[in-house]
Amino acid sequence: MAPFASDDSTTGTEADELRTARRRKAARYVVPVAVVGVAAATIGLVPALADSGDPDLPKISAQKLIEKIAASDVQQLSGTVKISTDLGLPDLGGLESSLTSGAMGPGDGGSSADPSSKLTELATGTHTLRVAADGPDKQKLSLLESGSEYSVIHNGKDVWGYDSKSNEVYHSTSADSAGAEKEQDVPATPKDLAEEALKSVDDTTSVTVEGTAQVAGRDTYRLVVKPKDSGSTVGQITVAVDAKTGLPLKFTLTPASGGAAVVDAGFTQVDFAEPGASTFDFTPPKGAKVTEGKDVEKGARDSRGANVEKGAHDSRGAKPGEDFGKELDGLKVIGKGWNSIATFDTGGQGMPSGSEAGGNLGGFLDSLGDKATGSFGSGTVFSTRLVNALITDDGKVYVGAVTKDALVKAADAGK
């Protein structure tokens, strides 16, 4: 972890790799998908809730508290986490699943139990999770739904996803070249998540300790992280850090615009005793459909290879087997800290109008988009309470946790 001072900075925006055979079509709709994806990634910074009382604790500096988080070595825990997310998105209805199902959704020969698509449900609404961990090789996360449950279990080399509603199972192992590594990268504890949030702290951020709180029956310090400069949509991040163990128990992200938290997530109950070994055991139920991650990956590779052998090309002459990122003319990040903006070029193809897109997608785009103009020309801004994106009519994309004015300024500077 980088060195910190009492007033430092926290931020970090990562762009997920988009892997799908529908390459040119996906380029036109990448921002709405990215908005939901960034929301899910933001939730990757969790743990929170259940405040009661302000315990009397010894004074501690922001630097010492961050060091305490870094030194925390909690290996075993179990508990319940409640996550509420309010990005200000319209009701997506059935469109949400089509935007977030990704390259490995059921329609692409994948499984409804695949963690890479299932966990994007955390991007909206309120959800209750049960979590358990016993060292780096055993973790379990269960998403409790009305009348059903979805679980991801990591036990040694095996990673299982199980959707009780569809009775489908997804399985991968550390021997799989892709797949397993991806699922095992899902953070298993609040410590993993908070450390990710603190990795990018720099001189654009104020970091202070502001009082104490009690979370899930534990005494905690309140670490407050916020931008120093204007232009970001982030108001502040508050992390409640367990005074005894240094483990983050609470994460709340409030927007600069005020109002309810964009993300309010954390433990309502936590226990640091060793979970029972059977917690991490999993055997596919009788009659369940089991999808092997290695077979999905092989099918995707074979499909790409077959298309290339047939000489298939998209509208720009790119072969379907080529890396999607190359078609976007390279992703770049301009600015720094909280005001950083990711930008790429879709190749001259701007956002389609609602009528052009048609159906549910057209209505979704119309409900999110606002026209914007500047010396760059014109385009459409898609807004949430946290992440905003500008797509210019000539196909350039600017996206970040910044205001609409900041995006227009970046587009003007890019001309």
Side-chain angles (χ1 to χ4, degrees):
M1 183 178 290
F4 303 97
S6 292
D7 281 310
D8 291 355
S9 110
T10 312
T11 182
T13 305
E14 289 185 10
D16 291 336
E17 231 182 296
L18 303 175
R19 297 167 49 197
T20 166
R22 309 183 188 96
R23 313 174 76 75
R24 280 307 293 157
K25 185 177 180 181
R28 303 174 71 188
Y29 306 142
V30 69
V31 169
V33 178
V35 167
V36 178
V38 171
T42 300
I43 293 172
L45 306 176
V46 302
L49 230 64
D51 293 350
S52 60
D54 299 323
D56 186 14
L57 297 172
K59 298 287 186 182
I60 189 171
S61 69
Q63 180 176 342
K64 289 295 184 183
L65 188 54
I66 291 172
E67 290 172 357
K68 191 176 184 71
I69 295 173
S72 179
D73 191 32
V74 174
Q75 296 288 315
Q76 299 165 332
L77 65 78
S78 58
T80 303
V81 175
K82 187 174 181 180
I83 299 176
S84 295
T85 310
D86 180 10
L87 280 167
L89 291 170
D91 183 6
L92 303 183
L95 180 62
E96 178 181 5
S97 59
S98 68
L99 285 175
T100 59
S101 59
M104 297 183 69
D108 295 307
S111 167
S112 68
D114 179 3
S116 66
S117 59
K118 187 66 177 180
L119 294 183
T120 59
E121 291 181 13
L122 300 180
T124 58
T126 298
H127 303 274
T128 299
L129 307 174
R130 282 202 298 258
V131 298
D134 185 6
D137 296 324
K138 293 183 178 181
Q139 299 98 30
K140 181 177 181 178
L141 182 153
S142 296
L143 173 61
L144 309 183
E145 302 172 309
S146 178
S148 63
E149 182 174 320
Y150 174 77
S151 295
V152 180
I153 305 102
H154 171 209
N155 192 345
K157 66 181 180 61
D158 293 301
V159 177
W160 298 92
Y162 176 59
D163 184 358
S164 69
K165 186 174 183 179
S166 64
N167 199 28
E168 290 194 26
V169 174
Y170 181 86
H171 175 243
S172 63
T173 72
S174 56
D176 297 340
S177 59
E181 224 172 90
K182 173 184 62 181
E183 280 88 30
Q184 291 181 29
D185 281 344
V186 175
T189 70
K191 180 180 188 300
D192 300 333
L193 307 168
E195 284 184 346
E196 286 301 313
L198 294 171
K199 278 181 180 178
S200 302
V201 168
D202 62 23
D203 60 4
T204 68
T205 305
S206 165
V207 183
T208 57
V209 178
E210 298 184 9
T212 62
Q214 194 168 78
V215 177
R218 305 283 299 186
D219 291 347
T220 69
Y221 291 101
R222 296 178 70 252
L223 184 70
V224 177
V225 182
K226 55 188 176 182
K228 286 182 177 179
D229 302 322
S230 61
S232 174
T233 55
V234 176
Q236 69 177 39
I237 292 172
T238 304
V239 181
V241 183
D242 187 75
K244 185 175 181 179
T245 67
L247 186 73
L249 297 179
K250 179 177 175 71
F251 179 96
T252 304
L253 188 157
T254 54
S257 58
V262 173
V263 179
D264 191 8
F267 282 100
T268 58
Q269 182 274 327
V270 65
D271 187 343
F272 294 110
E274 178 182 359
S278 62
T279 301
F280 309 102
D281 293 339
F282 181 79
T283 301
K286 184 178 181 180
K289 175 187 174 183
V290 180
T291 300
E292 292 290 340
K294 62 183 179 182
D295 293 338
V296 174
E297 291 294 327
K298 182 178 184 299
R301 288 195 300 269
D302 289 348
S303 175
R304 290 193 296 267
N307 286 336
V308 171
E309 286 175 10
K310 293 176 182 179
H313 290 68
D314 66 14
S315 60
R316 288 172 55 204
K319 295 182 179 180
E322 291 177 347
D323 180 32
F324 181 68
K326 293 179 181 177
E327 293 188 1
L328 300 182
D329 294 341
L331 180 75
K332 297 185 295 184
V333 176
I334 56 180
K336 71 172 187 174
W338 301 88
N339 293 333
S340 60
I341 297 172
T343 180
F344 56 89
D345 194 331
T346 64
Q349 191 172 33
M351 208 70 190
S353 65
S355 58
E356 181 186 349
N360 289 335
L361 183 57
F364 174 72
L365 299 181
D366 287 340
S367 68
L368 283 184
D370 291 317
K371 290 299 179 183
T373 59
S375 60
F376 70 88
S378 61
T380 306
V381 174
F382 296 92
S383 301
T384 72
R385 298 178 67 218
L386 183 66
V387 180
N388 294 322
L390 166 65
I391 303 182
T392 66
D393 289 346
D394 60 359
K396 293 182 176 61
V397 177
Y398 299 85
V399 60
V402 297
T403 63
K404 173 182 175 179
D405 289 344
L407 292 175
V408 170
K409 183 178 180 181
D412 285 342
K415 293 302 290 183

